[in-house]
Amino acid sequence: MIWDLQITERDGVRVHRSRLEPGEASPWHVDSVHRVTVVLQGDQLRIEPQDGGEPVLVPVVAGQAHWDEPSAPRVHRAVNSGQLPYEEVVVTLIERA
């Protein structure tokens, strides 16, 4: 698993890369900022809320790009529930100090 490997950060924008093998899960986390996700490979994720809520199956395809809203305060994790490795690049809009 590669999770949140920073590629670069500059002027309020952070770019990182993540990869999950089939069956692997990300750490529990909260997405506290807006971001754009670009899928490099994969076929399906399962988003699991830590509070025991209903998991959501998310089909994905290489080249897919989508805008993600902050999930705060809901803690969750992504599980690669597909047959292919899942890999993404995420562009995060961070607040400048």
Side-chain angles (χ1 to χ4, degrees):
M1 171 179 59
I2 298 171
W3 190 257
D4 206 23
L5 174 67
Q6 185 168 319
I7 297 170
T8 189
E9 183 175 322
R10 181 175 178 192
D11 296 330
V13 176
R14 180 173 182 264
V15 180
H16 74 267
R17 185 174 188 157
S18 298
R19 178 182 171 97
L20 296 172
E21 294 296 327
E24 286 187 321
S26 72
W28 293 104
H29 64 280
V30 172
D31 297 316
S32 58
V33 294
H34 292 93
R35 63 209 178 281
V36 175
T37 302
V38 179
V39 177
L40 302 179
Q41 65 175 328
D43 56 342
Q44 183 173 269
L45 289 177
R46 184 176 64 246
I47 307 302
E48 297 180 342
Q50 190 178 42
D51 65 8
E54 191 68 31
V56 176
L57 290 178
V58 180
V60 296
V61 295
Q64 175 182 346
H66 53 90
W67 174 261
D68 295 306
E69 297 287 333
S71 67
R74 195 164 204 192
V75 179
H76 64 281
R77 69 179 182 174
V79 178
N80 182 350
S81 57
Q83 300 297 310
L84 302 172
Y86 175 77
E87 193 165 3
E88 67 183 13
V89 169
V90 179
V91 179
T92 304
L93 308 176
I94 56 176
E95 292 188 30
R96 297 166 82 180

